[in-house]
Amino acid sequence: MIDIVTVVFKDELPILKLQAQSIERYCASIGVRNIYVIVNDDEDTLHQIDAGWWGRGANNVLVVPRSAFSSQFVEDGWVSQQVLKILAASMSYNTWTMVLDAKTIFVRELVLKDIIDEAGRAKVGTMDIFPVFEPTRLMVNQTYDIDLQKQLGPGGVPFFFQNDVVRLMIADTTFKVKQKFPYWFQGKGRITEFMLYAGYLQYRFKGFDMFYNPENALFPVNVCHSEVDQFERKLEQMKQSDTHTVSIHRNAWKQLTDDQKQQYQNFLIDRGIFCAWELA
């Protein structure tokens, strides 16, 4: 029912190893078939990724170079990784793709009935669109001639793409903009993959309800580069029993003290992510 996609850069391989161990430990019961690791870097990086990191899920791991998508990619990795998430989901003929960042680490078991309702809809809820994404919202509105007012939860990763919808979005948008989708998307610069997808759902299906339950059942806790001063509060949130995933942005990690880094590592080890002691 569910495939997993992670887009990774070479510098993220140490944290990818932690994610792999967390997927083996906490995603065993959700029917994962394929784990796509999309390498958004030089192809030598492929040979540094060991499927054994995923333990019992090793046979499900497919390491894919970005060249597999027969497109050119811009130098801005923030932009290219977004279109790669969409393209990777379009490859999957499972119902759903759960998109992760390399730094996304599971710390609580995902249970299928908790995240997919009886009608087969993902329980991610909706959120207001943050003011920082207003330029993105306007680009999406212009593309589909809509007035997008909400985005799908949880406002980032883990994000659930419905794979048939992704393929429709690529095809319809290609005809609409009269450009190959990867070139058009990257040319927009600050458009984002999840906002574009939300806009397409509104354009094609008049909203989210056909595929998404308005209740949110996914609870991530993330530390971005501007939240280092909130680390202690964030760590307490990570320890809450309802938190599914945690992450610390690499630019935030660099700002943490050695003691704060040790606290995070100890927390992950306590949750069974034993290779966390390897984090530098």
Side-chain angles (χ1 to χ4, degrees):
M1 173 173 281
I2 297 173
D3 284 346
I4 292 175
V5 162
T6 299
V7 179
V8 64
F9 302 98
K10 181 186 294 184
D11 292 346
E12 295 177 315
L13 295 188
I15 199 76
L16 178 67
K17 187 175 181 180
L18 275 65
Q19 180 187 105
Q21 192 169 86
S22 77
I23 288 172
E24 181 193 19
R25 184 172 181 85
Y26 291 112
C27 297
S29 66
I30 62 171
V32 173
R33 183 176 300 170
N34 293 322
I35 301 168
Y36 295 102
V37 181
I38 312 298
V39 175
N40 192 18
D41 216 315
D42 63 74
E43 296 199 2
D44 288 343
T45 306
L46 275 69
H47 309 297
Q48 301 175 44
I49 298 171
D50 182 358
W53 296 344
W54 284 262
R56 289 166 295 178
N59 290 335
N60 304 100
V61 176
L62 298 166
V63 182
V64 182
R66 66 183 188 178
S67 60
F69 298 101
S70 302
S71 178
Q72 296 296 315
F73 293 95
V74 297
E75 291 296 320
D76 188 335
W78 186 84
V79 173
S80 58
Q81 74 167 344
Q82 294 187 57
V83 75
L84 283 165
K85 291 171 184 176
I86 295 172
L87 296 175
S90 75
M91 293 195 306
S92 171
Y93 280 83
N94 261 339
T95 304
W96 299 98
T97 288
M98 180 169 61
V99 177
L100 310 174
D101 290 332
K103 62 184 179 292
T104 309
I105 301 170
F106 290 91
V107 293
R108 174 188 168 198
E109 184 178 4
L110 276 188
V111 178
L112 190 62
K113 67 179 179 62
D114 292 342
I115 57 175
I116 304 295
D117 70 15
E118 293 180 353
R121 301 180 303 169
K123 296 168 71 172
V124 300
T126 60
M127 302 174 62
D128 291 334
I129 297 171
F130 305 127
V132 70
F133 290 119
E134 179 62 13
T136 297
R137 188 184 78 87
L138 294 175
M139 282 190 279
V140 171
N141 286 348
Q142 184 181 37
T143 300
Y144 297 125
D145 192 23
I146 57 171
D147 182 19
L148 185 66
Q149 293 296 322
K150 293 284 186 178
Q151 61 176 321
L152 288 164
V157 296
F159 189 89
F160 277 76
F161 277 134
Q162 209 285 349
N163 297 324
D164 291 334
V165 173
V166 169
R167 283 184 284 275
L168 283 171
M169 179 181 74
I170 292 173
D172 284 351
T173 307
T174 297
F175 280 104
K176 212 169 170 41
V177 302
K178 298 179 173 56
Q179 278 185 272
K180 292 182 179 179
F181 181 83
Y183 294 94
W184 172 81
F185 183 97
Q186 293 177 96
K188 300 301 283 187
R190 292 287 124 178
I191 203 164
T192 67
E193 73 280 49
F194 303 145
M195 288 276 285
L196 182 72
Y197 176 78
Y200 181 76
L201 284 166
Q202 182 169 322
Y203 162 72
R204 182 68 185 258
F205 300 101
K206 311 305 179 190
F208 307 145
D209 290 350
M210 183 178 295
F211 301 101
Y212 295 91
N213 187 305
E215 175 189 354
N216 175 38
L218 284 171
F219 300 100
V221 178
N222 308 307
V223 181
C224 74
H225 68 281
S226 62
E227 296 177 318
V228 173
D229 60 342
Q230 303 174 43
F231 174 78
E232 280 70 26
R233 181 177 65 84
K234 289 280 190 173
L235 185 61
E236 287 306 309
Q237 291 177 352
M238 291 177 183
K239 294 177 180 178
Q240 296 300 307
S241 61
D242 61 352
T243 298
H244 286 104
T245 66
V246 300
S247 75
I248 298 179
H249 192 278
R250 61 184 177 276
N251 291 335
W253 182 256
K254 293 173 184 175
Q255 298 177 58
L256 297 180
T257 66
D258 289 344
D259 181 64
Q260 288 172 326
K261 291 178 180 178
Q262 186 67 60
Q263 289 181 62
Y264 185 62
Q265 289 170 292
N266 289 343
F267 162 68
L268 293 178
I269 290 168
D270 183 62
R271 294 300 176 94
I273 316 302
F274 299 115
C275 58
W277 67 269
E278 300 176 13
L279 279 177

